[in-house]
Amino acid sequence: MTSAAARTGRVNEDFTGATASAAVLLDGAGIPGAEAVCRHGVAWYAHRLGGCLLGLLPLRDDRSLAAVLAEAITQVTGEHRDTCDVADPISPSATVAMLRISSGLVEYLVLGDTVVVLDMSHGAPLVVTDPRELVISRSYQPAYEAAAEGSDERRRVLRELRAHRNAPGGFWLAKDDPRAADEALTGSRPVPELSGAVLLSNGAGRFVDRFGLADWPGLLALLASSGPAEVVRRVRQAEARDAVAADDATIAYCTGIDES
């Protein structure tokens, strides 16, 4: 695993962790002004939810990943419901990727713009992504870029975009409503079909989908030869080269799955 904040001195709002049979990765989603409705912050939410998932997964192997995520959202929401306005649209949220080995299957879940890549023993990797936020955001991008930074017009565009979050026809994140877990992309593959898997936050996934430094098989090859820190290092180089704002970047690289 590796996890790097966008820049020195900035709180890392990503979280990743693993047990003997599961891995989770969360990318905290923050909106300016969230501190006014939640005293804990985005990093707290991502870390709390991620830790809760790791605690629940070994105990809930008879339940689907979506059901475990729903239970974790309920628990974490309960932890700060009395002190924070958890239902406010700008309260902290997170995207989620989960992987679990159970009963001879590798189960996966993606909610939001995290990525799961399954390294198949034969054939191309299976890449699981949730494009809903990206598709919706693209329609707002021209108006956002045309508006001056800090202007009322730019704030209006952002408000309209955020209205699509956790709403029918929109995009979905883990926040205060456990029903969001039902919108996750899920599936499973037999353990013998896989040699490995990788979970990536969108800040790390831009290695492929934004900068085109390699395709997904190329990313897996680099992970196998040099490890996740090298992937993040190259992402930082590309961000600097193209004058792109850095993002928190996190990778959980799981090997030996076919030996489980």
Side-chain angles (χ1 to χ4, degrees), residues 112-192:
D113 60 4
T114 46
V115 182
V116 169
V117 183
L118 303 182
D119 189 3
M120 310 303 293
S121 301
H122 303 285
L126 173 62
V127 182
V128 186
T129 62
D130 183 349
R132 287 173 288 188
E133 181 175 2
L134 178 61
V135 169
I136 292 171
S137 296
R138 281 175 177 164
S139 64
Y140 289 90
Q141 196 67 28
Y144 178 83
E145 293 179 350
E149 185 174 354
S151 66
D152 289 341
E153 177 60 15
R154 178 167 283 193
R155 284 190 286 270
R156 182 193 66 78
V157 173
L158 285 174
R159 282 195 301 271
E160 288 188 8
L161 172 60
R162 292 165 190 157
H164 293 280
R165 186 174 66 168
N166 287 10
F171 57 94
W172 299 82
L173 306 172
K175 190 175 170 288
D176 61 299
D177 188 348
R179 290 174 295 181
D182 294 333
E183 299 293 331
L185 307 181
T186 60
S188 64
R189 301 301 287 263
V191 166

Side-chain angles (χ1 to χ4, degrees), residues 13-15 25-29 42 46 93-96 113-114 201-203 247-248:
E13 295 174 344
D14 286 356
F15 172 90
L25 186 150
L26 289 82
D27 184 347
V42 174
S93 58
T95 66
V96 182
D113 60 4
T114 46
S201 67
N202 68 336
D247 191 9
D248 299 336

Side-chain angles (χ1 to χ4, degrees), residues 15-38:
F15 172 90
T16 191
T19 68
S21 60
V24 301
L25 186 150
L26 289 82
D27 184 347
I31 294 175
E35 62 279 358
V37 299
C38 178

Side-chain angles (χ1 to χ4, degrees), residues 34-56:
E35 62 279 358
V37 299
C38 178
R39 69 181 190 181
H40 298 96
V42 174
W44 176 90
Y45 182 80
H47 284 243
R48 203 70 172 181
L49 184 60
C52 188
L53 286 169
L54 287 177
L56 288 173

